[in-house]
PDB file of all heavy atoms in Angstrom:
ATOM      1  N   GLN A 149      99.529  92.597  96.842  1.00  0.00           N
ATOM      2  CA  GLN A 149      98.380  93.488  96.756  1.00  0.00           C
ATOM      3  C   GLN A 149      97.238  92.953  97.485  1.00  0.00           C
ATOM      4  O   GLN A 149      96.552  93.589  98.316  1.00  0.00           O
ATOM      5  CB  GLN A 149      97.919  93.747  95.300  1.00  0.00           C
ATOM      6  CG  GLN A 149      98.722  94.575  94.466  1.00  0.00           C
ATOM      7  CD  GLN A 149      98.193  94.791  93.043  1.00  0.00           C
ATOM      8  OE1 GLN A 149      97.871  93.872  92.394  1.00  0.00           O
ATOM      9  NE2 GLN A 149      98.209  95.996  92.561  1.00  0.00           N
ATOM     10  N   ILE A 150      96.899  91.675  97.217  1.00  0.00           N
ATOM     11  CA  ILE A 150      95.823  90.937  97.917  1.00  0.00           C
ATOM     12  C   ILE A 150      96.077  91.027  99.518  1.00  0.00           C
ATOM     13  O   ILE A 150      95.174  91.321 100.279  1.00  0.00           O
ATOM     14  CB  ILE A 150      95.650  89.511  97.503  1.00  0.00           C
ATOM     15  CG1 ILE A 150      95.012  89.501  96.089  1.00  0.00           C
ATOM     16  CG2 ILE A 150      94.630  88.759  98.293  1.00  0.00           C
ATOM     17  CD1 ILE A 150      95.143  88.138  95.356  1.00  0.00           C
ATOM     18  N   ALA A 151      97.272  90.662  99.871  1.00  0.00           N
ATOM     19  CA  ALA A 151      97.611  90.549 101.257  1.00  0.00           C
ATOM     20  C   ALA A 151      97.449  91.932 101.969  1.00  0.00           C
ATOM     21  O   ALA A 151      96.947  92.068 103.050  1.00  0.00           O
ATOM     22  CB  ALA A 151      99.014  89.973 101.498  1.00  0.00           C
ATOM     23  N   GLU A 152      97.893  92.946 101.265  1.00  0.00           N
ATOM     24  CA  GLU A 152      97.760  94.214 101.861  1.00  0.00           C
ATOM     25  C   GLU A 152      96.327  94.746 101.978  1.00  0.00           C
ATOM     26  O   GLU A 152      95.942  95.288 102.903  1.00  0.00           O
ATOM     27  CB  GLU A 152      98.601  95.320 100.928  1.00  0.00           C
ATOM     28  CG  GLU A 152      98.695  96.700 101.487  1.00  0.00           C
ATOM     29  CD  GLU A 152      99.537  96.777 102.793  1.00  0.00           C
ATOM     30  OE1 GLU A 152     100.421  95.882 103.053  1.00  0.00           O
ATOM     31  OE2 GLU A 152      99.304  97.684 103.616  1.00  0.00           O
ATOM     32  N   GLY A 153      95.522  94.331 100.999  1.00  0.00           N
ATOM     33  CA  GLY A 153      94.066  94.709 101.005  1.00  0.00           C
ATOM     34  C   GLY A 153      93.498  93.956 102.220  1.00  0.00           C
ATOM     35  O   GLY A 153      92.627  94.504 102.914  1.00  0.00           O
ATOM     36  N   LEU A 154      93.809  92.653 102.321  1.00  0.00           N
ATOM     37  CA  LEU A 154      93.240  91.873 103.480  1.00  0.00           C
ATOM     38  C   LEU A 154      93.652  92.527 104.827  1.00  0.00           C
ATOM     39  O   LEU A 154      92.752  92.644 105.713  1.00  0.00           O
ATOM     40  CB  LEU A 154      93.752  90.490 103.437  1.00  0.00           C
ATOM     41  CG  LEU A 154      93.209  89.679 102.323  1.00  0.00           C
ATOM     42  CD1 LEU A 154      93.893  88.289 102.236  1.00  0.00           C
ATOM     43  CD2 LEU A 154      91.624  89.480 102.258  1.00  0.00           C
ATOM     44  N   LYS A 155      94.890  92.910 104.944  1.00  0.00           N
ATOM     45  CA  LYS A 155      95.439  93.479 106.139  1.00  0.00           C
ATOM     46  C   LYS A 155      94.680  94.734 106.511  1.00  0.00           C
ATOM     47  O   LYS A 155      94.315  94.910 107.617  1.00  0.00           O
ATOM     48  CB  LYS A 155      96.947  93.757 106.021  1.00  0.00           C
ATOM     49  CG  LYS A 155      97.641  94.322 107.243  1.00  0.00           C
ATOM     50  CD  LYS A 155      99.007  94.579 106.981  1.00  0.00           C
ATOM     51  CE  LYS A 155      99.691  95.585 107.905  1.00  0.00           C
ATOM     52  NZ  LYS A 155     101.029  95.903 107.542  1.00  0.00           N
ATOM     53  N   ASN A 156      94.576  95.537 105.482  1.00  0.00           N
ATOM     54  CA  ASN A 156      93.818  96.902 105.727  1.00  0.00           C
ATOM     55  C   ASN A 156      92.472  96.698 106.128  1.00  0.00           C
ATOM     56  O   ASN A 156      91.844  97.592 106.810  1.00  0.00           O
ATOM     57  CB  ASN A 156      93.941  97.704 104.441  1.00  0.00           C
ATOM     58  CG  ASN A 156      95.323  98.230 104.154  1.00  0.00           C
ATOM     59  OD1 ASN A 156      96.207  98.302 104.994  1.00  0.00           O
ATOM     60  ND2 ASN A 156      95.583  98.587 102.922  1.00  0.00           N
ATOM     61  N   ARG A 157      91.807  95.626 105.711  1.00  0.00           N
ATOM     62  CA  ARG A 157      90.426  95.276 106.083  1.00  0.00           C
ATOM     63  C   ARG A 157      90.291  94.550 107.392  1.00  0.00           C
ATOM     64  O   ARG A 157      89.159  94.225 107.764  1.00  0.00           O
ATOM     65  CB  ARG A 157      89.628  94.643 104.919  1.00  0.00           C
ATOM     66  CG  ARG A 157      89.520  95.596 103.732  1.00  0.00           C
ATOM     67  CD  ARG A 157      89.058  94.934 102.528  1.00  0.00           C
ATOM     68  NE  ARG A 157      87.807  94.072 102.752  1.00  0.00           N
ATOM     69  CZ  ARG A 157      87.489  93.143 101.931  1.00  0.00           C
ATOM     70  NH1 ARG A 157      88.169  92.715 100.882  1.00  0.00           N
ATOM     71  NH2 ARG A 157      86.286  92.437 102.145  1.00  0.00           N
ATOM     72  N   GLY A 158      91.346  94.204 107.963  1.00  0.00           N
ATOM     73  CA  GLY A 158      91.297  93.427 109.271  1.00  0.00           C
ATOM     74  C   GLY A 158      91.042  91.900 109.033  1.00  0.00           C
ATOM     75  O   GLY A 158      90.582  91.233 109.914  1.00  0.00           O
ATOM     76  N   VAL A 159      91.466  91.364 107.866  1.00  0.00           N
ATOM     77  CA  VAL A 159      91.291  90.055 107.502  1.00  0.00           C
ATOM     78  C   VAL A 159      92.639  89.292 107.626  1.00  0.00           C
ATOM     79  O   VAL A 159      93.484  89.777 107.037  1.00  0.00           O
ATOM     80  CB  VAL A 159      90.677  89.794 106.180  1.00  0.00           C
ATOM     81  CG1 VAL A 159      90.459  88.341 105.755  1.00  0.00           C
ATOM     82  CG2 VAL A 159      89.263  90.456 106.021  1.00  0.00           C
ATOM     83  N   GLU A 160      92.674  88.188 108.310  1.00  0.00           N
ATOM     84  CA  GLU A 160      93.955  87.405 108.450  1.00  0.00           C
ATOM     85  C   GLU A 160      94.039  86.529 107.295  1.00  0.00           C
ATOM     86  O   GLU A 160      93.068  85.985 106.679  1.00  0.00           O
ATOM     87  CB  GLU A 160      93.944  86.718 109.675  1.00  0.00           C
ATOM     88  CG  GLU A 160      93.987  87.579 111.026  1.00  0.00           C
ATOM     89  CD  GLU A 160      95.206  88.480 111.094  1.00  0.00           C
ATOM     90  OE1 GLU A 160      96.161  88.352 110.551  1.00  0.00           O
ATOM     91  OE2 GLU A 160      94.976  89.655 111.820  1.00  0.00           O
ATOM     92  N   LEU A 161      95.266  86.078 106.908  1.00  0.00           N
ATOM     93  CA  LEU A 161      95.415  85.105 105.845  1.00  0.00           C
ATOM     94  C   LEU A 161      96.121  83.951 106.336  1.00  0.00           C
ATOM     95  O   LEU A 161      97.141  84.058 107.076  1.00  0.00           O
ATOM     96  CB  LEU A 161      96.410  85.702 104.842  1.00  0.00           C
ATOM     97  CG  LEU A 161      96.668  84.795 103.528  1.00  0.00           C
ATOM     98  CD1 LEU A 161      95.490  84.384 102.796  1.00  0.00           C
ATOM     99  CD2 LEU A 161      97.710  85.553 102.789  1.00  0.00           C
ATOM    100  N   VAL A 162      95.600  82.768 106.135  1.00  0.00           N
ATOM    101  CA  VAL A 162      96.175  81.393 106.503  1.00  0.00           C
ATOM    102  C   VAL A 162      96.605  80.631 105.287  1.00  0.00           C
ATOM    103  O   VAL A 162      95.680  80.537 104.351  1.00  0.00           O
ATOM    104  CB  VAL A 162      95.235  80.615 107.482  1.00  0.00           C
ATOM    105  CG1 VAL A 162      95.768  79.262 107.817  1.00  0.00           C
ATOM    106  CG2 VAL A 162      94.861  81.367 108.686  1.00  0.00           C
ATOM    107  N   VAL A 163      97.844  80.151 105.273  1.00  0.00           N
ATOM    108  CA  VAL A 163      98.246  79.217 104.202  1.00  0.00           C
ATOM    109  C   VAL A 163      98.689  77.907 104.803  1.00  0.00           C
ATOM    110  O   VAL A 163      99.584  77.765 105.511  1.00  0.00           O
ATOM    111  CB  VAL A 163      99.439  79.843 103.445  1.00  0.00           C
ATOM    112  CG1 VAL A 163      99.905  78.966 102.259  1.00  0.00           C
ATOM    113  CG2 VAL A 163      99.226  81.345 103.038  1.00  0.00           C
TER     114      VAL A 163
END
Side-chain angles (χ1 to χ4, degrees):
Q149 284 180 316
I150 291 172
E152 189 65 27
L154 293 171
K155 178 181 165 188
N156 291 340
R157 293 172 52 203
V159 177
E160 300 297 340
L161 177 64
V162 175
V163 186

